[in-house]
Amino acid sequence: MTLLDVSIVNVALPSMQVGLQAGAGAVQWVVSGYALTFGLTLVAGGRLGDALGRKRIFMLALAGFVLTSALAGAAPSIELLVLARLLQGATAGMLTPQSSGLIQNLFHGAERGKAFGFMGATIGVSTAVGPVLGGLIIAAFGAESGWRWVFYVNVPIGIVALVLAARVLPTEDRRRIAVRSEIDFAGAGLLGAAVVALLFPIVQVESGELGQWWWLFPIAAVLGLLFVRWERRTVGRGRSPLLDLRLFTTTRGYASGVAIGAVYFSGFSGIFVVLAMFFQTGLHYTALQSGLVVTSFALGSSVSSAVAGRLVAKWGRRITVAALSTVTIGLVGSAVVVLVAPSDQVGFWVAIPLLVAGVGGGSVISPNITMTLENVPTNMAGAAGGALQTGQRIGTAVGTALMVAAYHAGTNATDGRPNVGAAVAFGAATLATVVALCLALRELRSRKTCNIDENLSQRSVISSQ
């Protein structure tokens, strides 16, 4: 639900404008505000789960998500809708890292890879199927009030999930702790302010107001440096940090996995926004028709995620390298199709390379989550998972801004040819995927070197004995 609500709302924006008689800039904040507060609370939410119990935080955050979804659906004005979405994004950020933390605790070895495989399938399908589901809901309930059911659909699903969570999730045996001593509030404030300062200008791209907020980027950098210094000081004083930065320097595979995830999400996430613009604005498809085009990506991703999760214990980073190569092929093929296919057939033909990209994409997400978190101590699993997903949220925001800018640049440079704009956006997505591929190749070589060194060390010990 939390990831579905990132993409499902895009196709409902015109319905919101009609139903609430709101301007395009105000309605855009329904998307941007959710993304902003989602990224803001991920690490803090993960740390709360580590300290206070993941089942407890999972259920509190899920209840909050259901409540804010209902409030969003019932909002009588655009101002209250944006407020509800800000609160909904905050609860989503608290909820999401509990999943990866629970998997870290409950599964081990090859079973953990399978579990992350299902999680990766959920991420891939949720991201890709949003436009289809949104289009179906709008078609079923009408343009004026259909957007309300985009939010109401979370309520029954969330209630069922609460009942299941209460019955199925194990209650962790937690000692009574002083929240003030366990939770690094100063670190949470610094990191939250840095994330907001970074994301706020980026989410203004579509409204053309990035230039007014450029000065927030250096502030974000300063706040980020202050956060790093504060966390090091907190560890040095023997207190619990929000995010133990030693994860990035001493935990093998963590830093590179976070980087691969952030760069990959910057490439593939923005493509769905561009495709919605291309088909609905450029080719005048309905919201449902536009959403159906990306169904092939969702299908490919759902199947390959589960399969890749089962193979990651054996093949490791080689799966990531092969998957990113496949995504690159699919994106290049999509760029070629939108350029050469007739406008009345492009929706059909582009589904084929999107299927290829989906197969590759599903095989990126779950193995990367598994290998990024495999050496993380369980007492930091929530915060580490939150940091991983914060990188993905930042990558999504940056990538969406870049893809939209590339689409408009290509369209305007060719006197209003949207197919050229879409091809340029696919090219930008391909470039980001190639960067992620280079990072994965570097990590693969590093792991091979470490394995060789470990084997030599073991042989040396045996021979000396």
Side-chain angles (χ1 to χ4, degrees), residues 63-75 84 88 148 151-155:
F65 187 84
V66 172
L67 177 61
T68 52
S69 295
L71 291 174
Q88 189 189 32
R148 296 187 183 277
F151 301 116
Y152 285 147
V153 73
N154 291 327
V155 177

Side-chain angles (χ1 to χ4, degrees), residues 54 100-108 112 172 174 378 381:
R54 296 190 179 94
S100 58
L102 283 164
I103 290 174
Q104 284 285 94
N105 272 11
L106 300 175
F107 299 91
H108 303 278
R112 181 182 290 174
E172 295 160 294
R174 293 281 172 178
T378 54

Side-chain angles (χ1 to χ4, degrees), residues 1 3-5 7-8 117-133 265 268 272 291 294-306 358 361-362 365:
M1 290 190 299
L3 293 172
L4 192 66
D5 266 46
S7 59
I8 193 174
F118 285 113
M119 183 177 176
T122 304
I123 292 172
V125 172
S126 300
T127 304
V129 82
V132 183
L133 185 55
F265 269 74
F268 104 98
F272 300 109
V294 299
T295 303
S296 61
F297 186 101
L299 291 173
S301 179
S302 62
V303 173
S304 63
S305 289
I365 297 172

Side-chain angles (χ1 to χ4, degrees), residues 85-422:
R85 282 287 281 177
L86 289 169
L87 295 173
Q88 189 189 32
T91 60
M94 299 287 287
L95 175 63
T96 302
Q98 311 315 324
S99 300
S100 58
L102 283 164
I103 290 174
Q104 284 285 94
N105 272 11
L106 300 175
F107 299 91
H108 303 278
E111 291 298 318
R112 181 182 290 174
K114 294 178 183 178
F116 275 126
F118 285 113
M119 183 177 176
T122 304
I123 292 172
V125 172
S126 300
T127 304
V129 82
V132 183
L133 185 55
L136 285 169
I137 291 173
I138 299 298
F141 292 98
E144 186 169 342
S145 60
W147 65 269
R148 296 187 183 277
W149 293 94
V150 166
F151 301 116
Y152 285 147
V153 73
N154 291 327
V155 177
I157 299 172
I159 291 172
V160 171
L162 276 169
V163 173
L164 291 175
R167 295 182 61 182
V168 174
L169 294 182
T171 301
E172 295 160 294
D173 184 19
R174 293 281 172 178
R175 57 184 172 85
R176 284 189 168 272
I177 60 171
V179 175
R180 186 174 298 178
S181 66
E182 284 287 330
I183 305 301
D184 178 13
F185 289 102
L190 286 169
L191 180 60
V195 171
V196 170
L198 176 63
L199 288 182
F200 185 84
I202 293 171
V203 299
Q204 297 298 311
V205 168
E206 281 198 68
S207 58
E209 297 179 2
L210 173 61
Q212 298 179 23
W213 301 99
W214 64 268
W215 49 271
L216 282 175
F217 288 128
I219 291 178
V222 172
L223 289 170
L225 290 173
L226 289 174
F227 170 72
V228 170
R229 292 190 63 179
W230 175 263
E231 293 300 281
R232 287 175 176 170
R233 180 185 175 190
T234 301
V235 172
R237 293 166 61 186
R239 300 185 63 185
S240 299
L242 178 73
L243 178 64
D244 194 333
L245 298 175
R246 290 173 295 185
L247 286 170
F248 291 91
T249 56
T250 62
T251 303
R252 189 174 77 171
Y254 184 74
S256 58
V258 171
I260 291 168
V263 175
Y264 172 66
F265 269 74
S266 73
F268 104 98
S269 296
I271 283 299
F272 300 109
V273 178
V274 168
L275 285 172
M277 295 170 64
F278 171 57
F279 285 110
Q280 292 185 58
T281 306
L283 301 184
H284 307 294
Y285 281 35
T286 66
L288 178 57
Q289 289 171 330
S290 173
L292 287 172
V293 172
V294 299
T295 303
S296 61
F297 186 101
L299 291 173
S301 179
S302 62
V303 173
S304 63
S305 289
V307 174
R310 295 174 179 272
L311 298 177
V312 66
K314 180 178 181 180
W315 297 101
R317 275 287 174 215
R318 286 175 288 182
I319 292 180
T320 311
V321 171
L324 287 167
S325 301
T326 305
V327 174
T328 302
I329 295 170
L331 291 175
V332 171
S334 299
V336 172
V337 167
V338 297
L339 279 176
V340 303
S343 58
D344 60 338
Q345 299 179 25
V346 65
F348 172 79
W349 289 110
V350 80
I352 298 172
L354 284 178
L355 175 64
V356 174
V359 170
S363 303
V364 172
I365 297 172
S366 55
N368 189 60
I369 294 174
T370 303
M371 302 199 71
T372 303
L373 301 178
E374 64 178 341
N375 297 312
V376 171
T378 54
N379 67 323
M380 285 296 292
L388 170 63
Q389 291 170 67
T390 299
Q392 294 174 355
R393 293 300 101 214
I394 292 173
T396 297
V398 172
T400 300
L402 290 176
M403 298 308 129
V404 170
Y407 174 77
H408 287 311
T411 302
N412 295 335
T414 54
D415 297 324
R417 295 179 61 191
N419 62 322
V420 176

